[in-house]
Amino acid sequence: MNLESFTTAAAVRHAARSGELTGPTPGLAMGYVQANLVILPKDDAFDFLLFCQRNPRPCPLLDVTEVGSPEPRTIAPGADIRTDLPAYRVFRDGQLVDEPTNLLGLWRDDLVGFLIGCSFTFENALLAADLPVRHIEECRNVPMYRTNIACKPAGRFHGPMVVSMRPMTPSQTVRATTICSRFPRAHGAPIHFGNPESIGIPRIDQPDFGDSVQIRPDEIPVFWACGVTPQAVIMEAKLPFVMTHKPGHMFLTDLRDHELENL
Amino acid sequence: MNLESFTTAAAVRHAARSGELTGPTPGLAMGYVQANLVILPKDDAFDFLLFCQRNPRPCPLLDVTEVGSPEPRTIAPGADIRTDLPAYRVFRDGQLVDEPTNLLGLWRDDLVGFLIGCSFTFENALLAADLPVRHIEECRNVPMYRTNIACKPAGRFHGPMVVSMRPMTPSQTVRATTICSRFPRAHGAPIHFGNPESIGIPRIDQPDFGDSVQIRPDEIPVFWACGVTPQAVIMEAKLPFVMTHKPGHMFLTDLRDHELENL
């Protein structure tokens, strides 16, 4: 299978649906917006929607499905969140219990799907501006850290913001800020740069998730709100039943990157 | 009572709470963000939250209260939406049944309050840039029109977008677009300018709500998504029980206008 043959989001979704694609999605159908997925029962959906509304930097909502419907009608009409991602995770009482390649046998009439923006969108814009994205240069996962920045709570959902980090020079940081502020639905502008300890990160070389990357002498660490935040908050809430995408195995939307620009 | 003595949002809320202030709020505590209010039972709150999330231009959410709590904790800690507005409207089965000055006798443990951004914020920015806001010049209400632009539906909530109109020259329209695009939580950039018929407005001199204003020969009508949209959609849904602010009698938040800038 030639992954570069996936030039549209629909082609990626179709390959995932047919079982042909079970691997990660970075680099597929470039220019189409990829999204994090969270699926919850209706009973928890209002509080989670409120959590996202109150914390738009880590949880920028792209779409929410109608109760019981697996179709993200706004961002991918005709798609099916039960089948169109390459791999999923199923949690019961806060424990990971399965990593299936579809959710057909697990779907219920009371489920609601949340599609949340992802850093790929602004990383594409940074790359287009010749700004460095170190973990891509080093073929690693982006380094991510728990911080001491509290999210605004909503019902049973609360916890610290998780951030991703990309090293840059000060002048690159300024340009990256300008570029990313155009994408509020893809985490927006950085939330911090410089001293990691001031946001509760003791060791920059020991990320809580992902891989460590090199920070050069003329560079500072720059931190963005990260889509792992809602996942961490959901794990912490120990819900009876929740399903998500498997990390890196995202939902491909029909939105183009430029459509997330705040114009 | 000297209205200009209200220099802070808290002072306006206190005067409304004490019954001293029962009139409209435009011009009070200038520089503080004013908000539309919708109060619904929990059973309808998820769908309405989803409607707002899907239609951010007419329904930019500033805060949503916890179920049963009358405190908009994010934008006005300590405030009480049952008492801190000068006047309210109560609807049952889609019919206006009362216009009380507080909701203390009507509050229930299952109610959720939605605070929605308002055009005053961007109008202040337009005035600061010496751009014309005709209805203010003419001491009238802003003209508002139903359009043929369908909102994205959510559950039982659906209907056309309502827009407000301010006449400007083309070059003023360009500057207003730049300024308003900085305020996505106050309706953002215009959604149309020029020919009213192309968005389903047959007579520009006959607004559906508010008052007609003069359009000069060198001006075109410029249209913004309007906070009356959610109210029209709620009326149309004929909910058993819903309460709102009385038009023009808004909730004063502790947010400053510049805090709504998308930075």
Side-chain angles (χ1 to χ4, degrees):
Chain A
M1 184 177 57
N2 180 1
L3 292 181
E4 291 177 6
S5 68
F6 295 129
T7 55
T8 69
V12 175
R13 294 197 302 264
H14 185 267
R17 190 183 298 202
S18 70
E20 186 192 359
L21 173 69
T22 56
T25 54
L28 302 190
M30 283 294 284
Y32 285 91
V33 171
Q34 301 201 16
N36 299 280
L37 173 67
V38 170
I39 300 174
L40 296 169
K42 166 90 199 272
D43 281 350
D44 297 313
F46 177 74
D47 283 344
F48 187 66
L49 184 51
L50 196 48
F51 183 84
C52 294
Q53 194 271 326
R54 288 184 179 162
N55 297 281
R57 297 296 269 282
C59 313
L61 279 175
L62 300 179
D63 203 357
V64 181
T65 60
E66 300 283 323
V67 178
S69 166
E71 179 188 7
R73 214 160 39 185
T74 309
I75 60 173
D80 189 327
I81 56 173
R82 300 172 300 182
T83 55
D84 293 359
L85 288 80
Y88 298 85
R89 283 187 162 176
V90 180
F91 297 84
R92 293 190 189 273
D93 301 318
Q95 299 296 313
L96 175 65
V97 296
D98 198 9
E99 287 196 352
T101 56
N102 73 66
L103 303 179
L104 289 172
L106 293 161
W107 190 255
R108 306 188 328 204
D109 283 347
D110 68 336
L111 295 178
V112 179
F114 294 78
L115 288 306
I116 297 171
C118 155
S119 58
F120 299 165
T121 301
F122 76 74
E123 287 180 349
N124 290 345
L126 294 177
L127 291 169
D130 292 326
L131 289 165
V133 182
R134 185 64 32 78
H135 65 277
I136 293 179
E137 294 167 11
E138 297 184 353
C139 296
R140 297 179 154 213
N141 292 315
V142 68
M144 293 167 276
Y145 308 84
R146 286 196 191 86
T147 68
N148 61 11
I149 303 167
C151 292
K152 289 176 187 158
R156 67 199 296 177
F157 299 105
H158 58 89
M161 190 185 296
V162 176
V163 296
S164 60
M165 189 277 287
R166 294 159 191 80
M168 297 192 179
T169 67
S171 70
Q172 288 169 338
T173 302
V174 169
R175 288 181 55 220
T177 299
T178 306
I179 289 166
C180 291
S181 67
R182 284 171 17 217
F183 295 99
R185 290 201 294 163
H187 302 307
I191 56 113
H192 181 65
F193 62 80
N195 185 7
E197 286 181 18
S198 68
I199 57 169
I201 300 172
R203 294 282 306 265
I204 198 68
D205 58 344
Q206 294 182 356
D208 294 305
F209 313 96
D211 305 316
S212 182
V213 298
Q214 189 199 4
I215 303 177
R216 297 177 187 154
D218 60 341
E219 291 178 336
I220 51 178
V222 185
F223 300 94
W224 278 261
C226 176
V228 167
T229 307
Q231 307 232 8
V233 162
I234 283 170
M235 296 307 98
E236 185 62 30
K238 296 190 171 43
L239 302 183
F241 184 48
V242 58
M243 303 186 289
T244 71
H245 67 286
K246 183 176 171 181
H249 299 62
M250 318 299 278
F251 179 73
L252 268 286
T253 79
D254 287 341
L255 297 173
R256 305 284 293 172
D257 282 343
H258 67 80
E259 290 183 81
L260 288 205
E261 285 198 60
N262 178 45
L263 291 178
Chain B
M1 184 176 58
N2 181 2
L3 292 181
E4 291 177 5
S5 67
F6 294 129
T7 55
T8 69
V12 175
R13 295 197 302 264
H14 185 268
R17 190 182 298 201
S18 70
E20 186 191 358
L21 173 69
T22 55
T25 55
L28 302 190
M30 283 296 284
Y32 286 90
V33 171
Q34 302 201 17
N36 297 279
L37 173 67
V38 171
I39 300 173
L40 297 169
K42 167 89 199 272
D43 281 351
D44 296 313
F46 177 75
D47 283 343
F48 187 66
L49 184 51
L50 195 48
F51 184 84
C52 293
Q53 193 273 325
R54 288 185 178 160
N55 298 282
R57 297 296 270 281
C59 313
L61 279 175
L62 299 179
D63 203 356
V64 181
T65 61
E66 300 283 324
V67 178
S69 166
E71 180 188 7
R73 216 161 36 188
T74 309
I75 60 172
D80 189 325
I81 55 172
R82 300 173 300 181
T83 54
D84 292 0
L85 289 80
Y88 299 85
R89 283 186 163 177
V90 180
F91 297 84
R92 293 190 189 273
D93 301 319
Q95 298 298 312
L96 175 66
V97 296
D98 198 8
E99 287 197 349
T101 56
N102 73 67
L103 303 179
L104 289 172
L106 293 161
W107 189 255
R108 306 188 329 203
D109 283 347
D110 68 337
L111 295 179
V112 179
F114 294 77
L115 287 306
I116 298 172
C118 155
S119 59
F120 299 165
T121 301
F122 75 74
E123 287 179 348
N124 290 345
L126 294 177
L127 292 169
D130 292 326
L131 288 165
V133 181
R134 184 65 32 80
H135 65 276
I136 293 179
E137 294 167 11
E138 297 184 354
C139 297
R140 296 176 156 215
N141 292 315
V142 68
M144 293 167 275
Y145 308 84
R146 285 196 191 87
T147 68
N148 61 12
I149 303 167
C151 292
K152 290 176 186 157
R156 67 198 297 177
F157 299 105
H158 59 89
M161 190 185 296
V162 176
V163 296
S164 60
M165 189 277 288
R166 294 159 192 81
M168 295 191 179
T169 67
S171 70
Q172 289 169 338
T173 303
V174 170
R175 288 181 54 219
T177 299
T178 306
I179 289 167
C180 291
S181 67
R182 286 173 13 219
F183 295 99
R185 291 200 295 163
H187 302 307
I191 56 110
H192 181 66
F193 63 79
N195 184 7
E197 286 180 19
S198 67
I199 57 170
I201 299 172
R203 293 283 306 265
I204 197 69
D205 59 344
Q206 293 184 357
D208 294 306
F209 313 96
D211 304 316
S212 181
V213 298
Q214 190 198 3
I215 302 177
R216 297 176 187 153
D218 61 340
E219 292 178 335
I220 51 178
V222 185
F223 300 94
W224 278 261
C226 176
V228 167
T229 307
Q231 307 232 9
V233 162
I234 283 170
M235 295 307 99
E236 185 62 30
K238 296 191 172 41
L239 303 184
F241 185 48
V242 58
M243 301 187 288
T244 70
H245 66 287
K246 183 177 172 181
H249 299 62
M250 319 298 281
F251 179 74
L252 268 286
T253 80
D254 286 342
L255 297 172
R256 306 285 292 173
D257 282 343
H258 67 80
E259 292 183 79
L260 288 205
E261 285 199 61
N262 178 45
L263 290 176

